[in-house]
Amino acid sequence: MTVKQAFPGTDLRQRREELGFTVDDVYRKIRVSPTFIRALEAGDMQQMPAPCYAVGFLRTYCQFLELDPDRYIDLYHDATKPSGRFLRRSDTNQIMLPPWMNEVVTWAAVCGIIILGWVTYAVVVRPAADPGEQRVHASTTDEDLVVPSAPVESAR
C-alpha cells in the first residue's frame, strides 16, 4: 500500500503572493470561490467540491498563476485517491474453467429447454385431447342405406 502524498498547496500560495494577488483578487479574476482557493492552498481536500469541479478549479487557478496545471492535477489525484483499505479485493480462490466449458454449458441449457418443452407437451397438452377423438369415424345414416329397387342384370 502506498502512502498518500500531501497536496503542495503552499506552492500555489507562494506563487500567488509573488504575483501580488490576494484571494479576493483571484476570485474577481477567475471566479473560483475564495473558500476553494484557500482549501487548495492549505491542501485541505475535504473542503473541495466533487473531483470533476475541483480539477477544473485547480486547472483554472494554475493557469492564472502561470504554473503547469497537469503537474498539480496529478498531485491532486495522488492526494485524493482512496486508500487500499476500502478497495475490493479480487477473489484468488476462483476456479478457472477451460474456455470450451462455456460452450458445453450453453448447449446443455439449449438441450434442456428443448427437452422441457417436449415433456410439457407430452404431459400437459396431449392428455387434454380426448383419445376417442383422435380416430376418424365414417358414420352412416339410414337414408344413406337406401337399396335400389331395380333389379341388377347380370351379364351373360
Side-chain angles (χ1 to χ4, degrees):
M1 191 168 14
T2 61
V3 177
K4 270 191 179 180
Q5 183 177 354
F7 183 76
T10 55
D11 296 348
L12 298 174
R13 183 180 47 78
Q14 288 172 353
R15 178 67 179 159
R16 176 182 54 81
E17 289 172 352
E18 284 174 8
L19 294 173
F21 292 110
T22 65
V23 173
D24 291 329
D25 293 336
V26 173
Y27 169 71
R28 280 193 227 77
K29 297 277 186 182
I30 63 172
R31 296 293 184 203
V32 173
S33 170
T35 305
F36 299 141
I37 293 171
R38 287 186 191 100
L40 282 171
E41 291 180 352
D44 185 10
M45 298 301 128
Q46 299 298 325
Q47 296 297 319
M48 294 302 294
C52 60
Y53 295 111
V55 167
F57 293 158
L58 182 58
R59 181 178 303 280
T60 303
Y61 189 39
C62 288
Q63 288 171 345
F64 173 76
L65 297 175
E66 298 171 353
L67 296 172
D68 178 28
D70 294 330
R71 175 179 175 258
Y72 286 96
I73 290 171
D74 290 341
L75 293 171
Y76 169 79
H77 286 303
D78 288 342
T80 59
K81 69 181 173 188
S83 65
R85 189 169 126 191
F86 296 110
L87 296 178
R88 178 188 283 182
R89 294 183 185 164
S90 63
D91 189 10
T92 57
N93 295 333
Q94 283 184 334
I95 298 172
M96 297 301 292
L97 296 175
W100 57 268
M101 190 62 95
N102 287 335
E103 288 187 37
V104 169
V105 169
T106 302
W107 281 109
V110 168
C111 292
I113 290 170
I114 291 171
I115 291 171
L116 181 64
W118 178 77
V119 168
T120 302
Y121 172 77
V123 172
V124 175
V125 175
R126 197 159 187 211
D130 186 19
E133 292 181 14
Q134 291 179 357
R135 293 183 289 170
V136 177
H137 297 284
S139 64
T140 57
T141 61
D142 290 338
E143 295 170 359
D144 293 338
L145 296 176
V146 175
V147 178
S149 61
V152 180
E153 292 186 26
S154 61
R156 291 194 184 183

